[in-house]
Amino acid sequence: MIHISLPDGSIKQFEQPVTVHEVAASIGSGLAKAALAGKITPSAEQQTSKTESEGRLVDTSYVIDEDVALSIITAKDAEGLDIIRHSTAHLMAYAVQELYPEAQVTIGPVIDNGFYYDFAYERPFTPEDLAKIEKKMHELAAKDEVVMRELWDRQEAVSFFKSIGEDYKAEIIASIPSDEPISLYREGEFIDLCRGPHVPSTGKLKVFKLMKVAGAYWRGDSNNEMLQRIYGTAWATKQDQDNYLQMLEEAEKRDHRKLGRELDLFHFQDEAPGLIFWLAKGWQIWQQVEQYMRRVYVDNGYQEVKAPQILDVSLWKKTGHWDNYQDNMFTTESENRVYGLKPMNCPGHVQIFNSGLHSYRELPIRYGEFGQCHRNEPSGSLHGLMRVRGFTQDDGHIFCTEEQLQEECAKFTELLQQVYRDFGFTEVLFKVATRPEKRIGSDEVWDKSEAALMESLKKSGCEFEISPGEGAFYGPKIEYTLRDAIGRHWQCGTIQVDFSMPKRLGAEFVAADDTRQTPVMLHRAILGSLERFIGMLIEHYAGAMPPWLAPEHVRVCTISGQYDDYAMAVVARLKDMGFRASADIRNEKINKKVRENAMQKVPYILVVGEKERDEGTVSVRARGNHNLGVMPVEDFIQRLADDIALKRDVTV
């Protein structure tokens, strides 16, 4: 008798092996129709790895022949949506080969909000080609062809794909470890290599759209051939897809690169790829962000420090960065010594800690730095402020005892949430990234570190997800992800536990029993890269920054040249109070002045004419074309001061 435990606690019994689909059908015909896959968790006695305890996804045709726990996966589940997208990627490859038989299929994974597939083809795909491919995909989906999994002999699979001209696919199969099965999925005349699972039939794929074509090197190596990458999106419902496409349209309007040009914030040049030229207005935003974070440092017990930009490569070898990160580092030489331009700040902070002898009574010691870092990112990955080669982190490191670890993590989580609220982000997602395959340190240390992070979030009342294998090479981390005004998610802050680097670099403190012990080191950042965070702010606010962040608070516009002196006097008064203000005294009609200054997204536009001059008032327009009427200058000053003090946006 086979016992299958269901999520509601009930148990289904079967006298012989049964498929996932048959289990779903035994629960109800509606569930059987909606089922896309199953999630199998063996009983505790049968589990051979941590992965199995978390469950594994299988096709609905998978045969269950032992006692297991089973969840039926539908389009309502996150895993179900991934399966839809993965299956749609295969459907796209199927359509491409139907239309362009000479095209070779390479690799096609699921990505955020969609999928892509890379193809080798003799000519570039055009927008017209994408329309044809998408039409063919709908035709193939309408056939509702069964998607079947097959296990093949390795050499047989290599020979087969070579025989049909799929050399890339043959190369992939040959590189798969010998202990892994070679599984192929067949739908109609199309067959492709894949671990799966996939939807039961192509008819499950109804809502998708091909988005664009881009270039991509085979296996991501610029020494290899350039392939064509077709991106697509797929969803469970048309409404979900419509919402996503509307979000993309809004995101295009908010693109920080576009707004950076329109608002004169920053620019880039070919002479400095991945490096930013900040203009005065953009640098003003930067200064507001940095000065705010500097106050956060002071108010929360951080000592602000500054470490060198370059360090001898021997130090990077001690930390493990050279072995794990050297391809991303810029190096330079002087007097027969090799130096690394720092890609991160942590080794420098350990040297600062080591400059004196510390007692356990001093711990925790918290260092903060606006540390400028450089990383040799591939040119194809550079993206405005979001991905650069030179950036500044609001970087910090906490040296503490193991007993202080959880409390420090919990305090940091609380602080981080307050900072995000001040910047206008109210929704934060929490993820614990656990040990990667390539790492330093013992399993015992990793167990201790991961447990501390999870416990700190539990004590803070934060629900969190696990990101298996996504930790840094030296320790696990909590990743803090923000949701912006149009629903996009941005991974931003982090705190990482590190038992290894302090020991490697000889960091010690004097314990209560007078022994020398190694502190735990917490790597932490709230904003991460200031450049990237400012890019996020620009897009979150569509360039219309709240007054406390805005590069300019007020623009004073004159109705005619007779009132220029009064306008300049108002500006002088505002500047005396510490506000950022200027006057528009051009010989232009007032409506044109107001319209053009509104396009610069200044929070307040003040209009002055004869009445305002004679009465010592200003006519106030808040951003968004809201006329707030006439008020005394001092009343407006108080209003603006309150906006800034409360970190609120312009109010109507």
Side-chain angles (χ1 to χ4, degrees), residues 20 34-39 56-60 71-91 108-111 114-115 147 185 187 194-202 204-205 234-236:
V20 171
L36 299 178
K39 190 171 187 179
R56 63 187 177 95
L57 295 172
V58 297
D59 298 298
T60 57
S71 298
I72 304 299
I73 303 299
T74 71
K76 295 180 180 179
D77 300 301
E79 297 102 325
L81 187 53
D82 278 350
I83 291 168
I84 286 173
R85 288 171 175 162
H86 195 177
S87 299
T88 308
H90 277 234
L91 183 68
V110 172
I111 56 175
F115 58 89
V147 181
Y185 278 80
E187 48 197 274
C194 190
R195 290 191 180 94
H198 281 278
V199 296
S201 68
T202 60
K204 300 288 186 183
L205 310 175
W235 298 86

Side-chain angles (χ1 to χ4, degrees), residues 3 23 61 66 82 129 140 156 198 200 230 246 256 264 327 338 367 394 426 472 603 615 624 640:
H3 300 81
V23 176
S61 60
E66 59 186 3
D82 278 350
D129 291 330
L140 295 172
E156 182 185 358
H198 281 278
I230 300 179
Q246 184 177 356
H256 72 282
D264 294 325
D327 290 344
V338 179
Y367 293 140
D394 69 313
T426 56
E615 297 179 357
L640 180 54

Side-chain angles (χ1 to χ4, degrees), residues 3-263:
H3 300 81
I4 298 178
S5 304
L6 301 176
D8 64 359
S10 64
I11 296 177
K12 287 277 185 179
Q13 298 185 31
F14 299 89
E15 294 184 353
Q16 57 189 15
V18 61
T19 66
V20 171
H21 174 78
E22 289 169 338
V23 176
S26 73
I27 299 171
S29 59
L31 183 60
K33 184 178 180 180
L36 299 178
K39 190 171 187 179
I40 297 285
T41 306
S43 62
E45 299 78 21
Q46 296 164 333
Q47 290 173 16
T48 58
S49 69
K50 184 178 179 181
T51 302
E52 286 191 345
S53 69
E54 297 168 353
R56 63 187 177 95
L57 295 172
V58 297
D59 298 298
T60 57
S61 60
Y62 178 84
V63 177
I64 302 171
D65 59 4
E66 59 186 3
D67 293 353
V68 296
L70 172 66
S71 298
I72 304 299
I73 303 299
T74 71
K76 295 180 180 179
D77 300 301
E79 297 102 325
L81 187 53
D82 278 350
I83 291 168
I84 286 173
R85 288 171 175 162
H86 195 177
S87 299
T88 308
H90 277 234
L91 183 68
M92 178 176 71
Y94 185 4
V96 167
Q97 289 211 316
E98 286 279 300
L99 293 169
Y100 313 102
E102 301 84 5
Q104 289 193 60
V105 177
T106 65
I107 295 172
V110 172
I111 56 175
D112 287 345
N113 300 312
F115 58 89
Y116 70 76
Y117 227 118
D118 290 345
F119 300 94
Y121 189 51
E122 58 189 2
R123 65 166 176 81
F125 288 120
T126 66
E128 292 74 22
D129 291 330
L130 291 195
K132 290 178 184 177
I133 295 167
E134 188 175 311
K135 181 181 179 183
K136 176 60 71 173
M137 290 170 67
H138 282 290
E139 291 173 2
L140 295 172
K143 290 183 177 182
D144 198 22
E145 294 177 315
V146 175
V147 181
M148 297 180 292
R149 183 174 188 259
E150 302 175 2
L151 292 178
W152 284 43
D153 172 77
R154 177 186 306 274
Q155 191 52 51
E156 182 185 358
V158 169
S159 299
F160 169 76
F161 281 104
K162 282 185 175 180
S163 72
I164 61 173
E166 292 282 0
D167 296 330
Y168 291 95
K169 197 66 68 176
E171 182 181 330
I172 295 171
I173 295 172
S175 67
I176 295 175
S178 58
D179 59 341
E180 289 190 23
I182 305 301
S183 66
L184 306 181
Y185 278 80
R186 184 188 299 275
E187 48 197 274
E189 298 299 316
F190 180 72
I191 188 166
D192 198 5
L193 172 73
C194 190
R195 290 191 180 94
H198 281 278
V199 296
S201 68
T202 60
K204 300 288 186 183
L205 310 175
K206 301 180 185 297
V207 184
F208 49 80
K209 182 176 180 59
L210 301 188
M211 306 297 291
K212 64 179 181 179
V213 182
Y217 291 110
W218 169 236
R219 294 191 179 276
D221 187 338
S222 59
N223 295 314
N224 290 337
E225 307 92 312
M226 176 69 78
L227 306 175
Q228 296 187 70
R229 177 169 294 176
I230 300 179
Y231 287 93
T233 189
W235 298 86
T237 69
K238 187 176 185 303
Q239 184 61 57
D240 288 342
Q241 179 165 286
D242 288 346
N243 292 342
Y244 173 68
L245 295 176
Q246 184 177 356
M247 183 272 287
L248 289 184
E249 184 178 345
E250 180 63 26
E252 187 174 351
K253 297 176 186 175
R254 293 168 177 256
D255 190 313
H256 72 282
R257 296 166 298 179
K258 170 177 172 287
L259 291 171
R261 291 190 301 271
E262 293 175 354
L263 302 178

